[in-house]
Amino acid sequence: MTNQWEDAMKTINRRSAIALGVTAAAITPLFTLAASAKVKKYGPKEGKEIAPGVRVVEVGTGDSDIAAYKSIAIVDVVFQPGAHAFAMMMDNDMVCTITSGAFTIKKADKEFKLKTGDMYTCAKGKTDEATNTSKEVGVHRIAVLIPA
């Protein structure tokens, strides 16, 4: 019985290690891009305006190793102090990182506050609303997951 237990634990540990390694490899580029956004300062006219004081700047795209997604697009959503993006329906699943500023996020079922370094997710078909509550330019770095 002890041998079966030890064999099972080795299998679980191997599987866990492989899963962790694959996950780490898949998200490492996202963290690298998020860190690089801290040094980027956007001008008030960069990107495309989507609401007063809110602009979207395309950062880059890449292929995905996650089976459900064919590619990932990285964008920065730049909010001037006090700017507000009204509720929008999400076209794709997204992973969002606050690289500067502080925000209040409203979803259909909850509201929460985030600051620099915090992360959250947005699901396809759900709505999100964001307000920059800081006195500085706020940036959401968003990994948009494009389905396969």
Side-chain angles (χ1 to χ4, degrees):
M1 181 128 140
T2 303
N3 289 339
Q4 289 176 338
W5 173 254
E6 288 173 359
D7 289 344
M9 290 308 294
K10 286 178 185 173
T11 300
I12 290 170
N13 288 340
R14 270 189 241 122
R15 287 182 188 155
S16 298
I18 290 169
L20 181 59
V22 169
T23 302
I27 64 173
T28 296
L30 297 179
F31 287 118
T32 302
L33 284 169
S36 68
K38 292 179 184 177
V39 295
K40 174 68 174 159
K41 299 290 183 191
Y42 291 108
K45 298 295 181 191
E46 283 187 74
K48 178 183 175 190
E49 186 172 61
I50 60 169
V54 182
R55 304 185 75 80
V56 175
V57 179
E58 294 180 14
V59 176
T61 60
D63 294 334
S64 171
D65 287 335
I66 303 169
Y69 304 102
K70 70 177 178 180
S71 61
I72 301 170
I74 304 295
V75 298
D76 283 347
V77 182
V78 183
F79 290 73
Q80 295 304 309
H84 176 79
F86 293 97
M88 290 185 242
M89 180 79 64
M90 300 298 115
D91 293 334
N92 298 88
D93 294 328
M94 301 176 201
V95 179
C96 307
T97 303
I98 306 302
T99 59
S100 64
F103 290 86
T104 296
I105 306 297
K106 290 183 184 178
K107 294 183 177 270
D109 60 345
K110 61 184 169 183
E111 179 176 317
F112 50 95
K113 297 186 182 302
L114 299 169
K115 61 186 181 329
T116 301
D118 291 341
M119 296 177 73
Y120 70 105
T121 58
C122 304
K124 180 179 179 177
K126 304 288 182 171
T127 59
D128 258 28
E129 186 173 343
T131 303
N132 181 357
T133 57
S134 70
K135 292 182 175 23
E136 66 179 294
V137 173
V139 179
H140 284 215
R141 172 140 296 181
I142 301 176
V144 181
L145 305 170
I146 313 297

